Amino acid sequence: MIDVTRLNDKILTVNCDLIEFIEETPDTVITFTTGTKIVVRESAEEIKEKIILYKQTIYGKNM
């Protein structure tokens, strides 16, 4: 799970395993495998970094 920030500055914790893709249009839109979409303040690169850090924490640094 990672924290992202909605445009109204509310923090939202999402399951990063359900992210299907991330678009910058120019706002960053996260689309989940369920079809749900959210717009967040973080860039696609920041989200990828959060996912990597989360997975390294869960599975260890040698993933």
Side-chain angles (χ1 to χ4, degrees):
M1 306 280 280
I2 62 168
D3 291 335
V4 293
T5 311
R6 288 184 174 259
L7 295 182
N8 64 2
D9 291 325
K10 299 286 183 181
I11 303 295
L12 183 65
T13 302
V14 299
N15 184 341
C16 59
D17 292 326
L18 296 179
I19 294 175
E20 186 170 6
F21 56 89
I22 303 167
E23 301 174 90
E24 291 181 341
T25 63
D27 292 327
T28 306
V29 180
I30 302 173
T31 303
F32 296 90
T33 57
T34 61
T36 302
K37 295 183 179 199
I38 60 171
V39 181
V40 298
R41 291 196 178 277
E42 291 83 356
S43 68
E45 189 62 35
E46 289 173 302
I47 295 168
K48 288 189 289 185
E49 289 172 6
K50 288 182 179 208
I51 292 169
I52 291 167
L53 181 61
Y54 169 74
K55 295 212 180 228
Q56 284 176 337
T57 301
I58 297 296
Y59 300 113
K61 302 274 184 207
N62 299 326
M63 50 174 268

